[in-house]
Amino acid sequence: MYGILNALGDFIGNIIGHFFGYNLLANMALNLVKWNGNTNDATYTLVTGVYEVIVPFALALSFGFAILEILSTLTRQGPENVTISAIIFPLIKMTCTWYLIYNGLTIVGYLMGGSDWFVDEIRELGEDAMAIDTPGTDIPALDLAGFLAKLLINMVISVLATLFCAIAGILLGLQIISVKIEFLIRTMFMPLALCTISNGGAQSAGMRYFKKMIGSMFTLGGVIAAIYLVKLLGDGIMTSFFNALSGDGDFVGSVETALSDGIPNFFAGAFFSAFIGPFTCVSCVSIVKAAINDAFS
């Protein structure tokens, strides 16, 4: 009887957890972070149009920067002391710059595809991690009162988490959209940044700009990873309360045991899961962006 109640409680808890709480937040985020299928043709048309308008100016600036570097070398060293490499290297850098500018939109397409691939990988890893049983959280048997206590806990936390996750989901969605808008704006003006490679080379502002574009491929997947991490952390906080339902050894868990031994952890876990966790996910967007900027700075 106790085993049946325990299994039934786990089943109902899983059903509740599937539709409420962090699953809602994660699903909302997953529906927003993907590029493929979420970005209409008009958006790409606008971004491509602005990019192509800027390209001629960027090519002209790149050529001007290369010529200025050559003239600067001639002035500094004198015509008689200038080597052929002092003339060839700026032209090589200009050629590489032109190649990047002409193929910039293709590179951006690869970055978008890479972002979607990274999101899918993170989602699979997160789902695998969520499926792992945390040691000490299994409840061997519950009496009727313990079963009702567990069910009530799941429902209360799930309803609270749903409310706050819905609010946090809106805020998180706004931040995810801003990340995508930032990427598209960077794409529009990428030719102007790349043209500085002609005279600055690997240390130019254009290369730093380009590295940040590459880093942005990992930003949206990093946001999803942060959501899973917050969820797993919340599960850990709730572990001690659910352990109290099972008691020690062969003791059959009861509601009295749960309330006497686990109620402080229950309120801590409920507060975290329903309030702190969802809004922590919102703040994680800036944390992920800062970490990736540091990695590619």
Side-chain angles (χ1 to χ4, degrees):
M1 179 63 179
Y2 294 149
I4 295 175
L5 287 176
N6 188 53
L8 182 60
D10 287 337
F11 174 75
I12 296 175
N14 289 332
I15 293 296
I16 294 173
H18 181 73
F19 289 103
F20 297 98
Y22 283 91
N23 277 10
L24 174 65
L25 187 63
N27 289 334
M28 292 175 66
L30 283 168
N31 288 329
L32 286 174
V33 296
K34 300 293 286 292
W35 288 101
N36 186 24
N38 288 343
T39 310
N40 55 37
D41 293 336
T43 302
Y44 290 127
T45 300
L46 175 60
V47 173
T48 301
V50 174
Y51 187 96
E52 292 176 348
V53 167
I54 293 175
V55 163
F57 297 97
L59 295 176
L61 286 172
S62 176
F63 178 76
F65 288 150
I67 296 301
L68 285 174
E69 185 174 353
I70 294 174
L71 293 175
S72 176
T73 303
L74 288 172
T75 303
R76 186 173 61 255
Q77 298 182 3
E80 66 281 358
N81 297 322
V82 173
T83 61
I84 189 66
S85 61
I87 298 175
I88 295 297
F89 283 164
L91 296 178
I92 291 176
K93 289 188 291 184
M94 183 191 72
T95 303
C96 294
T97 301
W98 283 21
Y99 178 84
L100 289 175
I101 292 174
Y102 275 121
N103 294 279
L105 292 175
T106 301
I107 295 171
V108 167
Y110 288 139
L111 292 178
M112 288 180 172
S115 176
D116 285 352
W117 166 81
F118 188 60
V119 166
D120 289 335
E121 292 294 316
I122 293 297
R123 178 178 54 80
E124 292 180 6
L125 292 172
E127 290 175 352
D128 291 342
M130 301 270 271
I132 297 175
D133 290 332
T134 305
T137 59
D138 293 334
I139 302 175
L142 292 174
D143 60 13
L144 181 58
F147 161 74
L148 293 175
K150 179 181 179 182
L151 183 59
L152 179 62
I153 292 164
N154 279 330
M155 292 183 65
V156 169
I157 295 177
S158 295
V159 170
L160 289 176
T162 300
L163 174 62
F164 288 112
C165 280
I167 299 172
I170 295 173
L171 299 176
L172 181 62
L174 293 174
Q175 293 211 46
I176 291 174
I177 292 173
S178 70
V179 169
K180 299 179 81 170
I181 292 295
E182 179 184 356
F183 181 83
L184 295 174
I185 295 295
R186 283 183 174 275
T187 298
M188 290 180 181
F189 296 101
M190 187 168 67
L192 292 176
L194 293 178
C195 71
T196 63
I197 298 176
S198 290
N199 66 330
Q203 304 302 320
S204 66
M207 282 303 296
R208 292 194 295 272
Y209 193 98
F210 188 62
K211 288 192 293 184
K212 288 184 178 181
M213 291 288 291
I214 296 174
S216 64
M217 182 180 75
F218 302 97
T219 302
L220 296 174
V223 172
I224 300 301
I227 293 174
Y228 283 121
L229 285 174
V230 173
K231 171 63 170 65
L232 293 171
L233 180 61
D235 287 347
I237 293 178
M238 289 300 294
T239 296
S240 54
F241 175 71
F242 287 126
N243 282 343
L245 289 172
S246 62
D248 299 322
D250 296 330
F251 179 76
V252 177
S254 64
V255 65
E256 291 82 3
T257 305
L259 296 179
S260 62
D261 296 342
I263 194 168
N265 292 319
F266 164 68
F267 284 113
F271 187 72
F272 182 92
S273 297
F275 183 76
I276 297 178
F279 292 98
T280 300
C281 293
V282 177
S283 65
C284 282
V285 176
S286 59
I287 296 173
V288 171
K289 290 178 62 177
I292 292 176
N293 285 335
D294 289 344
F296 285 87
S297 61

